[in-house]
Amino acid sequence: MEDALYGPAGFFVTQRPADHFRTSVHVSGLFARAVAALLLRVDTALGHPADLAFVDMAAGRAELAQAVLRLVPAPVAARLRVHAVERAPRPADLDPRIGWSAQAPAGVRGLLFANEWLDNVPLDIARRDDRGTARYLEVRAADGAERLGAPVRGPDAAWLRAWWPLGAGADRAEIGLPRDLAWGEAVDSLAAGLAVAVDYGHTAAARPPYGTLTGYRAGRQVPPVPDGGSDLTAHVAMDALRGTVTTQRAALRALGVDAGRPPLVLASTDPAGYVRALAAATEAAELTAGGGLGDFLWVTAPVGPRCADLLTA
Ligand SMILES: C[S@@+](CC[C@H](N)C(=O)[O-])C[C@H]1O[C@@H](n2cnc3c(N)ncnc32)[C@H](O)[C@@H]1O
């Protein structure tokens, strides 16, 4: 998975993510607007620091970073340092005000936002053999053929016991430890502020019995063959991450994303405004839909006392 996604011929190194799938960032500008609103709440909570940071963690082509920079008021933009953190190379035409690095900057104050990062952090898969022993699943890169390897031991085994025990009805599990560690490092990179991870995920009450590893290529779901030709992704065990879990629906509503239809009277008093409001409501509905993006989970991890509860207002 590591090689297939991030090796020299890896999917994310050679491909533009937006050509293969749409994230909330691509679905609607309302998503960036909500993130910018959250950044302003963090700024206020931190007392308007001279150096406010917005870290677009696993930025893809930094579409979110660019939008947030455009959306914040000028006095905030003047204090804002935008960092795109990405394993892929910097796009040639990116706004020069946006920094680009493979590691999160250390010791900054502000908002770190990771949209659809952790599902692409490589992980191992465990399966039970005939005797009930959990073993690593090995996959041949050429064709995706599977076989069972060594028994799962040590920290991976402890993670399975704590978060995704194999047993009745659960024969196959995705070992989320690398995600927990990557997320913990990202949270710790902040000196103060809020870290948010958004992803499709699950919690202990509803682990998928056969796991979720799959591939995406050119907008279509394909078998997860690790040959570099497709995105490989597995849902995230969100409750194992440091922080508090909420749904995207609840988080976006708290940030003012409203899927309510505009009043019909607007159609006669301001037809163009009505059409704009209707389009916005349609996009908001897509971002918050049950069975779709609205079921995505947000994990929020405040760093320091001031940024707790910023999603409750
Ligand atoms: C599904 S894309 C999401 C892009 C963007 N955040 C969005 O929502 O449109 C996942 C991105 O995470 C990046 N990535 C994965 N692991 C990373 C890491 N450890 N550090 C920085 N970027 C990473 C990949 O290169 C890929 O561009």
Side-chain angles (χ1 to χ4, degrees), residues 6 12 21 23 25-26 58-60 85-87 115-117 120:
Y6 307 111
F12 281 118
F21 49 79
T23 69
V25 176
H26 312 121
V85 181
E86 205 5 275
R87 295 184 73 168
N115 191 58
E116 292 205 31
W117 168 34
N120 285 131

Side-chain angles (χ1 to χ4, degrees), residues 6 12 17 53-66 81-91 94 98-106 108 111-117 182 185-186 189-190:
Y6 307 111
F12 281 118
F54 176 68
V55 182
D56 185 358
M57 185 70 210
R61 293 301 181 263
E63 294 95 336
L64 180 62
Q66 297 179 72
R81 297 281 289 271
V82 180
H83 308 262
V85 181
E86 205 5 275
R87 295 184 73 168
R90 179 187 179 101
L94 187 64
I98 298 177
W100 191 271
S101 58
Q103 303 284 334
V108 297
L111 175 63
L112 178 145
F113 200 92
N115 191 58
E116 292 205 31
W117 168 34
E185 253 182 54
S189 73
L190 289 176

